[in-house]
Amino acid sequence: ISIIWKFLRFIVYRFAEKIIVNKPNIKKIFFHKKFFFIPNPIVLNSTKKKIKKEKIILSVARLNYQKNLDFLIYCFSKSLAVKREWKLVIIGIGDEKKKLVQLAKNLNISNLVIFKNTVKKIDTWYKKAEIFILPSRFEGMPNSLIEAMNYKVPVIGTDIPGINFFIKNNYNGLLFKINEKNKLIKYINLLVNDKNLREFLGNNAYKKVNILSNPKIFLDSWLNILNK
């Protein structure tokens, strides 16, 4: 953040009795007892309708520098997913859309990369998707990752705070270092080839978020902090 916001935060935070954050490493940065970490809850309304899985790799994110979607498109273009005619569906809006669309054209995969603006029934896309990828350069607490895990979609994400809080590598998801091209391509290939692994990671992902992001636990955490 900018110097002005850092200064304002330094001044204002000292007057607060308690500060709630949704990013696990914030407390370590400020070293203050009045910081409390509570993960985001799962608030997505889901239809009970069953939807057949499709050969879709999904990413739900703002189309900006933070989310690193140009890196995702490049890695997708080099993966087996293209040869197997999987599709990369990117849902979101942002100032990098034209750049990303052009990149897909330059890589000759524009027919396999689908861009959609914000959609009303986002749950249908989580249900369709076989894989979810969030390649962010930095994160807070990504709701889209929590939602994907809630729908038992196997997730691949950057090994950074906010993402690695939820993912234990090779157990309920797969992690790679920022801009680690070979590793992301390897992971895409691995999941495209292995349905059993997709199911294993997806089931464990569901268990994880229902422990950490259950709305009741979220409410109880708030009440516990407010009553201290």
Side-chain angles (χ1 to χ4, degrees), residues 111-124:
N111 60 316
L112 297 176
V113 181
I114 299 171
F115 293 91
K116 289 189 171 291
N117 295 332
T118 51
V119 295
K120 291 183 178 180
K121 295 182 178 180
I122 186 68
D123 61 304
T124 60

Side-chain angles (χ1 to χ4, degrees), residues 59-136:
S59 191
V60 180
R62 294 186 303 277
L63 311 186
N64 60 14
Y65 173 82
Q66 174 194 350
K67 301 301 182 178
N68 207 14
L69 294 170
D70 51 343
F71 170 73
L72 172 58
I73 293 172
Y74 173 82
C75 291
F76 172 77
S77 74
K78 302 299 179 181
S79 73
L80 289 175
V82 171
K83 293 181 181 178
R84 305 282 176 81
E85 296 186 332
W86 282 56
K87 292 181 180 179
L88 173 61
V89 177
I90 299 174
I91 299 178
I93 57 176
D95 55 12
E96 288 198 348
K97 183 171 183 178
K98 288 183 178 180
K99 169 188 169 183
L100 297 173
V101 170
Q102 186 59 50
L103 175 61
K105 288 181 180 179
N106 294 343
L107 293 170
N108 296 315
I109 55 169
S110 55
N111 60 316
L112 297 176
V113 181
I114 299 171
F115 293 91
K116 289 189 171 291
N117 295 332
T118 51
V119 295
K120 291 183 178 180
K121 295 182 178 180
I122 186 68
D123 61 304
T124 60
W125 286 101
Y126 288 121
K127 290 179 179 180
K128 287 180 182 180
E130 288 278 12
I131 302 169
F132 180 88
I133 302 178
L134 191 62
S136 306

Side-chain angles (χ1 to χ4, degrees), residues 15 79 142 150 204:
F15 295 106
S79 73
N150 181 57
N204 289 333

Side-chain angles (χ1 to χ4, degrees), residues 24-200:
N25 66 331
I26 290 292
K27 289 178 68 176
K28 296 179 182 178
I29 295 173
F30 289 96
F31 298 102
H32 204 295
K33 292 182 179 179
K34 64 184 176 183
F35 277 82
F36 298 91
F37 165 61
I38 303 178
N40 290 349
I42 300 169
V43 294
L44 190 65
N45 292 323
S46 177
T47 60
K48 294 182 179 180
K49 182 180 178 181
K50 288 187 177 181
I51 297 176
K52 185 179 179 181
K53 288 287 186 181
E54 299 179 19
K55 294 194 294 185
I56 289 175
I57 296 173
L58 178 66
S59 191
V60 180
R62 294 186 303 277
L63 311 186
N64 60 14
Y65 173 82
Q66 174 194 350
K67 301 301 182 178
N68 207 14
L69 294 170
D70 51 343
F71 170 73
L72 172 58
I73 293 172
Y74 173 82
C75 291
F76 172 77
S77 74
K78 302 299 179 181
S79 73
L80 289 175
V82 171
K83 293 181 181 178
R84 305 282 176 81
E85 296 186 332
W86 282 56
K87 292 181 180 179
L88 173 61
V89 177
I90 299 174
I91 299 178
I93 57 176
D95 55 12
E96 288 198 348
K97 183 171 183 178
K98 288 183 178 180
K99 169 188 169 183
L100 297 173
V101 170
Q102 186 59 50
L103 175 61
K105 288 181 180 179
N106 294 343
L107 293 170
N108 296 315
I109 55 169
S110 55
N111 60 316
L112 297 176
V113 181
I114 299 171
F115 293 91
K116 289 189 171 291
N117 295 332
T118 51
V119 295
K120 291 183 178 180
K121 295 182 178 180
I122 186 68
D123 61 304
T124 60
W125 286 101
Y126 288 121
K127 290 179 179 180
K128 287 180 182 180
E130 288 278 12
I131 302 169
F132 180 88
I133 302 178
L134 191 62
S136 306
R137 291 181 168 93
F138 54 92
E139 273 296 348
M141 184 60 61
N143 289 330
S144 62
L145 178 76
I146 298 171
E147 292 165 357
M149 295 175 77
N150 181 57
Y151 283 101
K152 299 183 179 181
V153 186
V155 296
I156 304 174
T158 320
D159 190 4
I160 55 174
I163 292 180
N164 59 20
F165 173 77
F166 284 97
I167 299 177
K168 180 179 179 181
N169 198 34
N170 294 311
Y171 176 71
N172 64 353
L174 299 171
L175 293 170
F176 62 91
K177 302 296 183 183
I178 296 175
N179 290 333
E180 193 176 17
K181 294 178 182 178
N182 291 338
K183 184 59 71 69
L184 179 53
I185 294 169
K186 174 185 174 182
Y187 283 158
I188 294 173
N189 293 343
L190 185 64
L191 292 186
V192 164
N193 278 330
D194 196 334
K195 181 180 179 181
N196 290 332
L197 180 59
R198 295 200 301 267
E199 291 179 352
F200 173 78

